[in-house]
């Protein structure tokens, strides 16, 4: 994968951070994008600037090259900022081969009709709108690579895309939206050499799962292990490994797929 260039959103921690490291280990150069500040509409912390810089430093340490991972602060709700991130990756490394939409938030804890409107909007705008924004900005860049191409648009959906999770209706709607988007995008991209795929994680040990535990009034996130047939939480690296596979040559025959990486949660 040497010479290949990826952009990953939600890169400051969790699945996004693990994806940056998995791609670097496969030889990619990576623009690590995150909002890197708290969201006043949500009651839990987002990834921080320090965490984003730590991912960049760790990635460059893995690569043995101080320039293989760069940080870029952008809010995926802001199309101009997402455009700027894509242009930065092209400017730094000469093109873009993969865009990975990992950034996401969770909110809920009430039936939909009682959910504060600003929280509902944050979930829809980041979890679905942010993926749409990245697709709109990144697909033209993926298509700017000369033929024959092997571009990849990847998104993180969720087991929530297909399960009706009470108190998380907006999140379920946004994630189902991501899977619909990926399927349509795959057909639109057709024979261009650019593919679109998603992964649907189950309960994975990250800050989102900690917040989900709080939403459901559980003592801690480990309680979610019991609902997954594998009876353990996933590690973010296990989700990242599948994203890196899809980004690589092994994923060349796949498009429009939504791959469960869920310890059996969706069964
Ligand atoms: N952890 C799980 O159990 C689980 C399960 C299914 C799906 N997912 C999905 O995985 C993805 C990654 O989440 P995670 O579990 O690593 O959680 P996380 O909270 O650790 O990471 C999410 C990252 O997204 C960033 N982010 C939030 N809003 C943003 C915005 N507006 N613009 C740019 N960046 C923003 C945050 O700062 C944070 O660094 C999300 O899309 C989430 O919905 C997670």
């Amino acid at each position: 994968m040497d010479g290949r260039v990826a952009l990953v959103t939600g890169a400051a921690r969790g699945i996004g951070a693990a994806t940056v490291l998995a791609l670097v280990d496969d030889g990619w150069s990576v623009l690590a994008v995150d909002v890197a500040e708290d969201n006043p509409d949500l009651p839990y912390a987002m990834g921080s600037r320090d965490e984003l810089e730590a991912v960049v430093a760790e990635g460059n340490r893995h690569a043995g090259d101080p320039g293989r991972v760069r940080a870029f602060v952008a809010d995926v709700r802001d199309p101009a900022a997402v455009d700027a991130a894509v242009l930065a990756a092209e400017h730094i490394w000469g093109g873009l081969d993969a865009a990975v939409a990992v950034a996401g938030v969770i909110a809920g804890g009430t039936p939909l009709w009682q959910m504060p409107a600003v929280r509902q909007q944050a979930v829809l705008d980041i979890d679905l709108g942010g993926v749409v924004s990245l697709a709109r900005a990144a697909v033209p860049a993926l298509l700017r690579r000369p033929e024959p191409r092997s571009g990849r648009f990847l998104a993180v959906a969720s087991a929530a895309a297909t399960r009706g999770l009470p108190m998380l209706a907006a999140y379920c709607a946004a994630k189902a939206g991501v899977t619909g988007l990926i399927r349509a995008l795959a057909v639109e991209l057709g024979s261009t050499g650019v593919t679109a795929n998603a992964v649907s994680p189950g309960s994975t040990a990250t800050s989102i799962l900690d917040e989900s535990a709080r939403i459901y009034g559980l003592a801690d996130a480990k309680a979610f292990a019991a609902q997954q047939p594998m009876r353990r939480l996933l590690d973010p690296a296990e989700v990242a490994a599948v994203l890196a596979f899809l980004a690589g040559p092994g994923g060349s025959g796949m498009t429009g797929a939504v791959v469960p990486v869920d310890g059996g949660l969706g069964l």
Side-chain angles (χ1 to χ4, degrees), residues 20-262:
V20 171
L21 298 179
L23 290 171
V24 168
D25 288 345
D26 283 351
W28 292 75
S29 299
V30 185
L31 194 69
V33 179
D34 203 283
V35 68
E37 69 176 14
D38 286 344
N39 185 324
D41 297 329
L42 297 173
Y44 72 105
M46 297 295 107
S48 68
R49 186 77 205 218
D50 285 353
E51 286 173 308
L52 183 60
E53 294 298 344
V55 172
V56 169
E58 195 180 347
N60 285 330
R61 214 168 32 246
H62 279 222
D65 171 352
R68 279 274 297 286
V69 187
R70 303 265 195 108
F72 194 100
V73 173
D75 187 327
V76 294
R77 291 173 295 183
D78 177 355
V82 178
D83 279 343
V86 167
L87 290 175
E90 288 186 296
H91 178 73
I92 297 166
W93 292 296
L96 188 71
D97 302 288
V100 193
V102 189
V105 298
I106 200 157
T110 63
L112 181 74
W113 57 94
Q114 292 166 358
M115 188 170 178
V118 289
R119 282 194 192 173
Q120 172 186 300
Q121 208 56 48
V123 169
L124 296 174
D125 288 350
I126 297 167
D127 293 0
L128 178 56
V131 183
V132 174
S133 292
L134 185 64
R136 290 181 63 94
V139 167
L142 297 170
L143 292 171
R144 282 194 279 275
R145 283 297 208 196
E147 292 184 77
R149 303 181 189 91
S150 52
R152 303 281 195 266
F153 185 79
L154 299 172
V156 174
S158 170
T162 49
R163 299 189 75 200
L165 300 179
M167 314 295 165
L168 290 174
Y171 184 77
C172 291
K175 293 300 186 179
V178 170
T179 61
L181 174 75
I182 287 296
R183 281 189 283 268
L185 208 52
V187 181
E188 288 180 354
L189 285 164
S191 62
T192 60
V194 178
T195 60
N197 293 290
V199 300
S200 272
S203 297
T204 308
T206 71
S207 299
I208 274 188
L209 202 66
D210 294 339
E211 177 61 7
S212 308
R214 197 193 63 78
I215 286 170
Y216 282 126
L218 301 170
D220 80 41
K222 291 196 193 83
F224 287 112
Q227 68 180 359
Q228 231 153 230
M230 284 174 70
R231 297 284 184 270
R232 65 172 176 85
L233 300 183
L234 297 167
D235 187 277
E238 294 180 284
V239 181
V242 178
L243 286 166
F245 168 79
L246 291 169
S252 60
M254 299 172 71
T255 197
V258 180
V259 182
V261 188
D262 65 359

